[in-house]
Amino acid sequence: MANVNLAVIYYSMGGTNHQLSQWAAEGAKEAGAEVKVLKVPELAPQSVIEGNPTWKAHVEATKDVPEVTLNDLEWADAIIFSVPTRFGNMPAQMKQFLDTTGGLWFNGKLVNKVVSAMSSAQNPHGGQEATILSLYTTMYHWGAIVAAPGYTDPVTFAAGGNPYGTSVTVDQNGKMIEDVQAAVKHQAKRTVTVAEWVKKANQ
């Protein structure tokens, strides 16, 4: 691995996408990458968070996870996003962060970043694919290179078969239905491998 820097950037209310991000970080580190796991800033009022015990507990449990900055995007050769779906789209928290990247985009600082995305929802057809594709739309404007998992490994099928990025169904108790850990790790390794190719080609 040619010193590939990976930023895993997530938003999570109940912990699912935080867990996906942890697995992605593990997979990337196994492939030799330097990894940062980063959360986007929360936009919801504290009073709303306080009224949801699960949400409140997760915020408390992840209080030491650093918030992503634009400097992290410059540092990264590769970026993996992990978000829950909101009506088939990314959460406002992630969109708000992406909307701050205009300066980097204007100066060509996001060109050829290798990117991939993951998502979750409460039912199998709750918008996971559309959410991932909504993230990729922004990436195309960046001039980034999307490294979707496709069907490059059988673990994709075991995890539900989403070729755009690993996605998972979460039940009413916050438990993941599909076994996606291996698929997430494969996706992370594929992302940093493609980033290594790109980095070597540009040296």
Side-chain angles (χ1 to χ4, degrees), residues 50-74:
E50 294 283 340
N52 183 320
T54 302
W55 195 353
K56 181 181 176 183
H58 178 66
V59 168
E60 181 63 26
T62 56
K63 66 179 186 295
D64 294 331
V65 176
E67 288 189 349
V68 65
T69 69
L70 296 178
N71 288 336
D72 293 315
L73 293 183
E74 279 204 77

Side-chain angles (χ1 to χ4, degrees), residues 13 31 40 43 57-58 69 75 117 125 134 150 171 187:
M13 270 181 59
V40 294
L43 302 178
H58 178 66
T69 69
W75 168 84
H125 301 289
S134 76
D171 68 18
Q187 183 172 349

Side-chain angles (χ1 to χ4, degrees), residues 44-130:
Q46 189 61 35
S47 59
V48 174
I49 297 170
E50 294 283 340
N52 183 320
T54 302
W55 195 353
K56 181 181 176 183
H58 178 66
V59 168
E60 181 63 26
T62 56
K63 66 179 186 295
D64 294 331
V65 176
E67 288 189 349
V68 65
T69 69
L70 296 178
N71 288 336
D72 293 315
L73 293 183
E74 279 204 77
W75 168 84
D77 302 301
I79 306 164
I80 294 176
F81 298 95
S82 190
V83 291
T85 184
R86 295 288 182 268
F87 303 111
N89 212 319
M90 73 182 88
Q93 289 84 348
M94 182 62 74
K95 182 67 164 66
Q96 195 278 335
F97 172 68
L98 294 178
D99 285 348
T100 69
T101 63
L104 290 179
W105 165 81
F106 181 79
N107 289 296
K109 301 287 190 180
L110 302 173
V111 172
N112 293 336
K113 301 289 184 183
V114 175
V115 299
S116 205
M118 308 180 291
S119 69
S120 65
Q122 286 199 327
N123 53 69
H125 301 289
Q128 292 101 320
E129 293 178 7

Side-chain angles (χ1 to χ4, degrees), residues 131-145:
T131 296
I132 290 171
L133 293 173
S134 76
L135 267 159
Y136 290 163
T137 297
T138 300
M139 300 302 102
Y140 300 138
H141 284 256
W142 281 9
I145 297 167

Side-chain angles (χ1 to χ4, degrees), residues 10 17 140 151:
Y10 78 92
N17 287 278
Y140 300 138
Y151 298 109

Side-chain angles (χ1 to χ4, degrees), residues 147-169:
Y151 298 109
T152 54
D153 191 283
V155 295
T156 301
F157 294 101
N162 188 341
Y164 309 115
T166 306
S167 63
V168 67
T169 313

